[in-house]
């Protein structure tokens, strides 16, 4: 599929240097025959690579798809000097970046959003501000609050083999989370609850490789793993504001997902117009694990005006 890459200048005075947001567009944004979809990747601190499968929505349904790397990640401007700077890496920073990208692309008056994992958290925070032009929202594999996420992650962690739990607990207590033994134990959790396809599909592996090269955003906002949350998002919650989301919303998660039903339920209960679909053979990335069904469901939802 033909795609166009570009960069949007993003003015961030606190960054101390010029910043750019890298993006890739599948389809023609000027035709307006189909509403464009902007995809917000997870992390925080991941990249567009693992959600690149969503470009299939253009091939199958002619829905223009915009992928981009959030500031600090992938092909966008990196700011490793801001590692640990919680005053800089905020949810509002990424909301501002999204507004800037929508304006740059000329689609701020009519678009849909799909946020995956952290991207869904960001999309929810964006949507509660009731931005002009947002017509449809997909929140995929995302929690409505980080305390709920941690609670569920610890429940899933207790289901791991005892030796794996002991290794994780030992290194987390000692602060030796960069040790190979800890990373290997973490992978056992990911094989169950992140992606059940083995070996790890290349797009997902590519995103992890980018995160390993520059973990600034992930370590500052999240922490070292999906279940050891010590970053600035550890108390984050959007639950009390969900009633402000006035657009049609599709909720997605996997049966084996890190985002278990308990963390998705507040979205369903509090967003006035929400539909929820679960993928029975998937963990955290059903767009990779059950691609065909995923595209059918999301494509039909987005094309139903």
């Amino acid at each position: 599929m033909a795609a166009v890459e570009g960069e949007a200048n993003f003015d961030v005075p606190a960054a101390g240097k010029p910043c750019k947001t890298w993006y890739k567009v599948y389809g023609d944004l000027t035709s307006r025959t189909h509403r464009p979809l902007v995809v917000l990747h997870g992390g925080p601190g991941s990249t567009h690579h693992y959600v690149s499968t969503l470009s299939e929505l253009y091939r199958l349904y002619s829905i223009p798809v915009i992928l981009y790397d959030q500031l600090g990640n992938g092909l966008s401007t990196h700011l490793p000097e801001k590692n640990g700077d919680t005053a800089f890496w905020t949810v509002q920073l990424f909301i501002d970046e999204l507004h800037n990208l929508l304006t740059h692309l000329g689609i701020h008056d009519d678009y849909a959003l799909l946020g995956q994992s952290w991207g869904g958290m960001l999309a929810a925070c964006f949507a509660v501000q009731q931005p002009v032009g947002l017509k449809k929202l997909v929140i995929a594999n995302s929690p409505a609050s980080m305390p709920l996420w941690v609670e569920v992650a610890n429940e899933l962690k207790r289901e791991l083999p005892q030796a794996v739990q002991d290794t994780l607990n030992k290194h987390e207590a000692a602060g030796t989370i960069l040790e190979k033994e800890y990373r290997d134990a973490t992978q056992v959790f990911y094989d169950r609850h992140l992606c059940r396809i083995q070996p790890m599909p290349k797009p997902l592996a590519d995103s992890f490789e980018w995160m390993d090269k520059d973990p600034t955003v992930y370590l500052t906002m999240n922490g070292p793993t999906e279940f050891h949350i010590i970053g600035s998002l550890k108390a984050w919650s959007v639950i009390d504001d969900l009633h402000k989301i006035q657009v049609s919303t599709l909720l997605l998660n996997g049966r084996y997902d890190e985002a278990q039903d308990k963390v998705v339920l507040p979205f369903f209960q509090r967003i006035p117009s929400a539909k929820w679909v679960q993928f029975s053979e998937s963990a955290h990335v059903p767009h990779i694990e059950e691609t065909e069904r995923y595209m059918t469901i999301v494509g039909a939802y987005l094309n139903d005006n």
Side-chain angles (χ1 to χ4, degrees):
M1 291 181 290
V4 176
E5 297 183 21
E7 292 179 328
N9 292 328
F10 180 34
D11 184 23
V12 189
K17 65 183 182 184
C19 293
K20 296 180 181 294
T21 302
W22 176 92
Y23 62 86
K24 190 171 188 177
V25 179
Y26 294 85
D28 182 4
L29 298 181
T30 64
S31 71
R32 297 299 176 111
T33 55
H34 290 81
R35 179 178 296 123
L37 174 70
V38 182
V39 179
L40 284 60
H41 65 68
S46 188
T47 67
H48 76 281
H49 299 84
Y50 84 97
V51 289
S52 59
T53 314
L54 293 165
S55 63
E56 281 288 282
L57 291 167
Y58 173 63
R59 186 180 68 83
L60 295 169
Y61 299 100
S62 300
I63 298 169
V65 175
I66 298 101
L67 307 176
Y68 75 102
D69 285 333
Q70 295 159 26
L71 185 67
N73 309 304
L75 298 171
S76 293
T77 303
H78 285 244
L79 296 156
E81 64 273 19
K82 296 292 185 180
N83 189 21
D85 188 345
T86 56
F88 180 82
W89 298 110
T90 64
V91 175
Q92 189 59 48
L93 171 70
F94 294 105
I95 288 176
D96 294 343
E97 181 182 32
L98 178 53
H99 277 297
N100 183 71
L101 180 62
L102 293 168
T103 300
H104 175 83
L105 294 173
I107 60 172
H108 58 281
D109 59 340
D110 186 16
Y111 58 92
L113 288 183
L114 186 154
Q116 200 280 332
S117 194
W118 145 253
M121 297 160 61
L122 174 59
C125 290
F126 184 85
V128 301
Q129 297 181 8
Q130 300 180 355
V132 174
L134 177 60
K135 299 298 195 297
K136 288 212 167 186
L137 177 63
V138 183
I139 297 175
N141 321 99
S142 307
S145 94
M146 197 57 91
L148 268 180
W149 175 271
V150 171
E151 179 184 332
V152 167
N154 282 316
E155 291 172 1
L156 296 174
K157 185 178 170 184
R158 286 192 289 271
E159 296 174 3
L160 298 174
Q162 190 60 51
V164 174
Q165 293 184 55
D166 292 344
T167 298
L168 293 171
N169 293 334
K170 177 184 71 174
H171 287 286
E172 287 166 10
T176 51
I177 54 177
L178 299 180
E179 296 289 333
K180 183 180 185 300
E181 185 182 47
Y182 181 78
R183 294 168 71 91
D184 289 346
T186 299
Q187 192 60 47
V188 177
F189 180 90
Y190 288 163
D191 288 346
R192 293 187 178 198
H193 302 297
L194 178 71
C195 182
R196 295 172 69 82
I197 298 174
Q198 300 300 321
M200 181 180 287
K202 187 177 186 303
L204 189 56
D206 287 346
S207 284
F208 271 108
E209 184 177 332
W210 274 99
M211 291 175 72
D212 285 343
K213 286 192 290 187
D214 184 359
T216 298
V217 182
Y218 188 68
L219 291 179
T220 303
M221 298 184 73
N222 185 87
T225 67
E226 304 294 280
F227 46 82
H228 189 44
I229 312 296
I230 56 176
S232 60
L233 287 175
K234 61 185 176 184
W236 173 90
S237 176
V238 74
I239 292 174
D240 290 343
D241 290 327
L242 289 175
H243 65 281
K244 299 176 184 176
I245 297 179
Q246 296 301 308
V247 297
S248 171
T249 303
L250 176 63
L251 307 171
L252 306 173
N253 75 329
R255 178 182 175 188
Y256 305 101
D257 207 333
E258 299 168 280
Q260 288 285 295
D261 292 355
K262 186 187 294 187
V263 308
V264 179
L265 186 59
F267 289 125
F268 187 69
Q269 292 174 325
R270 296 180 181 237
I271 296 175
S273 179
K275 176 184 178 181
W276 185 355
V277 176
Q278 184 175 91
F279 292 83
S280 61
E281 302 302 322
S282 293
H284 196 51
V285 285
H287 61 281
I288 294 174
E289 296 165 288
E290 293 182 70
T291 303
E292 184 175 353
R293 181 172 180 239
Y294 191 100
M295 298 305 157
T296 298
I297 289 169
V298 174
Y301 171 72
L302 293 174
N303 273 334
D304 181 11
N305 293 317

